[in-house]
């Protein structure tokens, strides 16, 4: 796409950390790589405030931030729903539907930009949850591009499951994906809302609508790497009629450990190299109380050092006080006295932790940003996927890439976690078992591929971005 006269690009992420982080990183990347572009990032007021307070000013100074009004209360949601954090799972679908109400304000903003610049933006780069923005782009004659913030395989499998609901057509525990019969999905790899979906429920209504609209976009860029996700990209290109350009890894720049986190980094400084298992279930998720106990007991039995970002379990207020009864008796005291484990309540500087020499593994829910952050730092993954595309990210990473071992799956009442399995897998990955060694070797290969993708000249992601601008 070339048009030197019209060079304003508008970025529009869905309002959740896992979407906003890569969009901000993409905005910074665009400004660095194409200094002539004017880059505007649009979100709701609370999210714009959060972006301003969490990003380092020099990198943001070249990006224009614009907010458009959004009222969670008008949709029966609490104010904090605007950031999609700390709201119960059933409210997420209400938020997705509520986000459709942003269209008139977004349209007005594009109108304002058009007035200010004397011409419409060159391109609107929107989230796949905002595929409806293609209508806005068409009205103004702007190029429309969707930025997928999740991986190619996870995105395609998840979209295919929602489009065809194949589990409703069989009683079997395992079934093939209609478009890709070589891919066998197990019923336990379906999140609860997908398992319950019948095509007329609010989840199907929203997701099927946006999936179908995404085929109207002009191009797709995706936060993945051509050489790493060959299978996933082949699949995505088969289902989408437009060009698909991988531009990953698009990662936020590590800020120096922000205020209030010094104690975490100091604790890591005092640990031996590659000895610590970092544990986090992302920005929104948590596990069930019985699973928490199994994880703690498995960790203790494995005699592995760990740094665990912990939140109240499923069914409790995630922002509420953490109760010791959710963990084995005197667990935290024992870990503290022995100096072998640390719990972080709330938020941790993840990229800094993964970049630290003491970190040797990541027990992760396999959100795509976490996956990219871990692999880009050469840190092997112990997978505990919970929902959405996470389940398929874990599947491809274990089956094809060989960079992780799955230890448990899901956080529903019926989802089991077993301390014996936790102990075995953690020991294998962290204490140099045969499989652990192989995983480390593969992770290192993937780390190099990711770095090469952004090498000037031949890098595949450099090429992907230059296809767009
Ligand atoms: N994150 C963080 N500290 C935390 C939890 C999460 O910095 O305590 C960041 C993490 O580095 C990643 C993002 O939040 O960039 C989470 O995105 P991901 O796609 O992994 O999972 P999601 O939160 O969307 O499920």
């Amino acid at each position: 796409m070339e048009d030197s006269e019209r060079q304003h690009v508008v970025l529009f992420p869905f309002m959740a950390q896992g979407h906003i982080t890569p969009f901000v990183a993409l905005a910074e990347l665009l400004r660095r790589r194409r200094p002539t572009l004017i880059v505007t990032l649009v979100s709701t007021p609370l999210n714009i405030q959060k972006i301003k307070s969490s990003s380092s000013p020099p990198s943001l100074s070249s990006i224009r931030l614009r907010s458009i009004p959004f009222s969670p209360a008008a949709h029966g949601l609490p104010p904090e729903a605007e950031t999609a954090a700390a709201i119960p799972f059933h409210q997420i679908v209400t938020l997705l539907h509520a986000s459709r109400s942003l269209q008139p304000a977004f349209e007005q903003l594009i109108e304002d930009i058009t007035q200010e610049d004397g011409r419409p933006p060159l391109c609107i780069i929107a989230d796949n949850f905002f595929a409806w923005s293609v209508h806005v782009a068409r009205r103004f004659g702007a190029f429309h591009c969707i930025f997928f913030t999740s991986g190619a395989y996870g995105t395609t499998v998840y979209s295919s499951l929602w489009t065809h609901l194949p589990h409703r057509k069989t009683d079997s525990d395992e079934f093939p994906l209609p478009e890709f019969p070589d891919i066998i999905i197990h019923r336990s790899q379906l999140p609860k809302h997908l398992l319950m979906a019948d095509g007329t429920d609010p989840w199907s209504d929203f997701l099927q609508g946006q999936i179908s609209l995404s085929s109207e976009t002009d191009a797709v860029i995706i936060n993945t790497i051509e050489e790493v996700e060959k299978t996933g990209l082949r699949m995505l290109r088969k289902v989408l009629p437009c060009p698909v350009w991988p531009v990953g890894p698009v990662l936020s720049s590590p800020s120096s450990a922000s205020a209030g986190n010094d104690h975490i980094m100091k604790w890591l400084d005092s640990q031996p190299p590659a000895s610590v298992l970092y544990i986090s279930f992302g920005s929104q998720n948590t596990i069930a109380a019985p699973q928490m106990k199994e994880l703690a007991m498995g960790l203790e039995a494995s005699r592995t050092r760990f740094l665990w970002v912990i939140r109240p379990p499923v069914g409790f207020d995630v922002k509420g006080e953490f109760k010791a009864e959710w963990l084995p008796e005197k667990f935290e005291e024992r870990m503290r006295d022995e100096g072998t484990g640390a719990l972080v309540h709330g938020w941790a500087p993840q990229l800094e932790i993964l970049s630290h020499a003491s970190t040797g593994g990541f027990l992760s829910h396999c959100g795509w940003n976490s996956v990219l952050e871990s692999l880009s730092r050469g840190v092997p993954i112990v997978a505990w996927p919970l929902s959405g595309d996470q389940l398929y990210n874990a599947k491809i990473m274990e089956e094809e890439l060989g960079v992780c071992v799955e230890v448990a799956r899901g956080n529903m009442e019926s989802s089991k976690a077993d301390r014996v399995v936790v102990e075995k897998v953690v020991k294998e990955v962290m204490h140099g078992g045969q499989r652990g060694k192989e995983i480390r070797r593969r992770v290192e290969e993937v780390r190099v591929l990711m770095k090469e993708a952004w090498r000037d000249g031949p890098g595949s992601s450099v090429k992907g971005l230059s296809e767009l601008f």
Side-chain angles (χ1 to χ4, degrees):
M1 185 186 28
E2 276 181 43
D3 189 339
S4 54
E5 285 302 300
R6 304 157 74 202
Q7 48 188 4
H8 200 144
V9 179
V10 176
L11 271 61
F12 191 26
F14 179 68
M15 53 268 246
Q17 192 68 39
H19 294 239
I20 289 180
T21 302
F23 262 89
V24 171
L26 178 68
E28 289 170 350
L29 184 78
L30 286 176
R31 283 286 302 141
R32 252 195 336 271
R33 295 251 159 194
R34 302 283 180 271
T36 52
L37 288 178
I38 303 167
V39 179
T40 295
L41 190 122
V42 182
S43 192
T44 57
L46 208 55
N47 285 301
I48 290 292
Q49 237 180 58
K50 262 184 83 177
I51 293 169
K52 280 185 181 156
S53 60
S54 63
S55 306
S56 44
S59 59
L60 267 189
S61 59
S62 59
I63 300 164
R64 298 186 187 178
L65 298 174
R66 299 278 285 258
S67 63
I68 50 176
F70 177 62
S71 164
H75 306 273
L77 291 167
E80 62 271 21
E82 194 180 319
T83 63
I87 58 171
F89 187 73
H90 68 270
Q91 287 183 346
I92 299 276
V93 71
T94 312
L95 178 67
L96 287 170
H97 280 276
S99 69
R100 288 289 280 108
S101 70
L102 292 171
Q103 183 166 340
F106 183 64
E107 212 154 336
Q108 183 57 52
L109 181 97
I110 300 297
E111 177 86 61
D112 294 347
I113 288 176
T114 305
Q115 295 291 326
E116 288 157 23
D117 290 359
R119 56 181 180 253
L122 171 64
C123 178
I124 293 173
I125 303 182
D127 201 285
N128 55 327
F129 286 163
F130 293 161
W132 51 260
S133 57
V134 70
H135 299 311
V136 183
R138 293 286 175 269
R139 190 189 136 195
F140 289 90
F143 189 85
H144 188 263
C145 175
I146 290 181
F147 177 37
F148 281 102
T149 54
S150 44
Y153 183 86
T155 300
T156 316
V157 172
Y158 193 54
S159 303
S160 175
L161 286 166
W162 276 106
T163 305
H164 302 289
L165 304 176
H167 55 289
R168 293 188 57 83
K169 295 164 195 148
T170 173
D171 291 331
S172 172
D173 270 347
E174 289 193 333
F175 46 87
L177 271 189
E179 287 143 320
F180 306 99
D182 291 352
I183 296 178
I184 306 299
I185 300 292
H186 192 276
R187 218 164 264 277
S188 64
Q189 287 171 312
L190 300 181
K192 190 175 174 182
H193 55 304
L194 178 52
L195 207 52
M196 315 283 284
D198 62 5
T200 62
D201 58 291
W203 277 100
S204 301
D205 180 39
F206 180 83
L207 289 174
Q208 290 180 349
Q210 297 312 303
I211 292 166
S212 151
L213 270 174
S214 64
S215 63
E216 291 184 28
T217 189
D218 297 312
V220 158
I221 54 172
I222 178 160
N223 198 2
T224 196
I225 301 94
E226 190 76 58
E227 295 77 7
V228 176
E229 269 222 276
K230 287 187 188 131
T231 304
L233 282 163
R234 192 166 14 86
M235 289 163 59
L236 191 58
R237 285 176 176 135
K238 189 177 161 201
V239 293
L240 283 173
C242 63
V244 175
W245 297 311
V247 296
V250 179
L251 302 172
S252 54
S253 20
S255 49
S256 54
S258 43
N261 290 320
D262 291 0
H263 62 292
I264 300 176
M265 303 317 284
K266 278 210 182 96
W267 184 83
L268 273 177
D269 288 345
S270 67
Q271 305 302 318
S275 67
V276 175
L277 180 69
Y278 167 60
I279 305 170
S280 169
F281 294 95
S283 64
Q284 293 167 0
N285 288 293
T286 178
I287 51 176
Q291 294 182 320
M292 229 172 227
K293 280 205 172 126
E294 291 295 316
L295 172 54
M297 285 189 276
L299 281 174
E300 198 166 0
S302 76
R303 309 198 63 76
T304 302
R305 292 162 197 270
F306 65 88
L307 177 62
W308 183 354
V309 187
I310 202 161
R311 302 203 186 94
V314 176
F316 293 87
D317 176 5
V318 264
K319 285 225 165 125
E321 200 188 326
F322 192 87
K323 298 198 179 104
E325 70 199 44
W326 289 323
L327 289 169
E329 219 182 320
K330 302 238 170 6
F331 176 77
E332 193 165 0
E333 289 89 325
R334 270 198 308 285
M335 297 302 108
R336 206 176 30 232
D337 294 348
E338 291 166 17
T340 50
L343 299 184
V344 177
H345 295 279
W347 192 256
Q350 178 161 306
L351 199 52
E352 285 78 5
I353 291 170
L354 290 169
S355 310
H356 197 287
S358 300
T359 304
F362 183 8
L363 192 154
S364 169
H365 75 311
C366 299
W368 192 245
N369 294 292
S370 294
V371 166
L372 292 179
E373 287 164 7
S374 197
L375 298 179
S376 73
R377 298 309 191 258
V379 176
I381 297 174
V382 174
W384 186 329
L386 300 178
S387 190
D389 61 312
Q390 299 153 18
L391 292 140
Y392 321 113
N393 297 340
K395 180 173 160 69
I396 193 77
M397 282 199 297
E398 179 156 9
E399 290 176 4
E400 190 173 305
L401 290 178
V403 293
C404 85
V405 189
E406 193 178 277
V407 72
R409 193 178 279 175
N411 59 2
M412 294 187 242
E413 317 80 66
S414 57
S415 318
K416 298 264 177 301
D418 181 342
R419 69 189 83 167
V420 179
V421 179
V422 172
E423 178 189 352
K424 183 169 167 280
V425 171
V426 169
K427 271 186 179 159
E428 185 71 27
V429 174
M430 296 300 290
H431 300 293
Q434 194 47 43
R435 186 146 177 225
K437 280 190 191 141
E438 179 57 17
I439 286 172
R440 267 173 214 282
R441 190 184 66 74
R442 284 293 300 139
V443 169
E444 181 52 21
E445 282 173 7
V446 169
R447 185 189 70 78
V448 172
L449 289 176
M450 286 175 134
K451 208 166 162 214
E452 288 291 298
W454 272 112
R455 201 148 65 92
D456 276 328
S460 54
S461 292
V462 176
K463 195 164 156 271
L465 195 66
S466 62
E467 298 278 359
L468 182 62
F469 297 112

